[in-house]
Amino acid sequence: MIKIAVLVSGGGSNLQAILDYKAAGHIPNGEVCLVISSKQGAYALQRAKNHQIDTLVIERRQFSKNEDFCAALKGALQAYQIDLIVLAGFMCILTKEFTDFYAGRIINVHPSLIPSFCGEGYYGLRVHQAALDYGVKVTGATVHFVNEITDGGKILLQRAVEVQEGDTPETLQKRVMEQAEWILLPQAVEMLSDTMEQTKKAGERK
Ligand code: GRF
């Protein structure tokens, strides 16, 4: 089994989508073993507890240096022997040391079609506000590998969503979640855990 950790900071609807997909019989080769929140009281923690998943709170503001915060994250992930890290509404920037260490083993979901409306400063409703300000007719979501460049890693999956007349950032956010993020992220987790499990087994046979 591929051991998965989901890193969150907020509501955790993307975490929920992964847990629901697993409960429906998908993600046969992966198991969510740990949820880490960068914020105390994040509703995502409750969602994890409802599924008997271990939780940890590692608050960014408890560390003066990002290096120390990332070292604490890495320590926790190593203690659980985590193979695959999923960023699902995780609002912290990871150091290059961290993303290099976990290269090819961390993914993120971003609520736009990268390379539009992404990078530093593009998070939450700001992404959808920017799409509406620009006047695009189609937006969507992207699941990508994480490297040291914010939203800059290799793209794994993308899905388009229509912008509708009269959309607000809130209505657009909801549609992008329902029609793209909650579908793509669980699929990406399944794909990667399948591939990683195969690689593991091939290694064991050698
Ligand atoms: C999502 O829009 C995700 O794309 C972005 O942050 C939001 C998190 O929502 N990175 P949730 O916590 O999964 O409900």
Side-chain angles (χ1 to χ4, degrees), residues 8-17 44 47 87-91 108-112 122-125 127-128 141-142 151 173 176-177 181-182 185:
V8 298
S9 305
S13 67
N14 280 287
L15 165 67
Q16 190 67 57
R47 295 184 193 266
L87 309 185
F90 185 64
M91 300 296 283
N108 178 47
V109 61
H110 181 76
S112 76
Y122 287 98
Y123 58 85
L125 287 171
V127 179
H128 304 290
T142 304
D151 302 323
Q173 178 183 54
V176 168
M177 282 183 163
E181 294 183 53
W182 297 343
L185 190 60

Side-chain angles (χ1 to χ4, degrees), residues 20 33 40 42 44 51 56 77 81 91 111 116 122 127 133 140 146-147 152 157 166 171-173 182 185 193:
D20 291 348
C33 305
Q40 201 78 248
H51 286 253
L56 287 173
L77 294 164
Q81 298 181 303
M91 300 296 283
S116 290
Y122 287 98
V127 179
D133 288 347
V146 175
N147 64 10
L157 295 173
T171 60
L172 188 55
Q173 178 183 54
W182 297 343
L185 190 60
S193 51

Side-chain angles (χ1 to χ4, degrees), residues 14 20 38 52 55 57 66 74 81 88 106 131 133 156 163-164 173 182 190 201 204:
N14 280 287
D20 291 348
S38 67
Q52 288 78 47
T55 60
V57 176
N66 199 31
K74 188 173 155 187
Q81 298 181 303
I106 324 180
D133 288 347
L156 253 167
V163 178
Q164 288 176 10
Q173 178 183 54
W182 297 343
E190 180 170 69
K201 282 193 183 137
E204 281 162 12

Side-chain angles (χ1 to χ4, degrees), residues 139-155:
T139 182
T142 304
V143 176
H144 62 91
F145 285 109
V146 175
N147 64 10
E148 73 279 13
I149 302 159
T150 307
D151 302 323
K154 191 172 180 291
I155 291 172

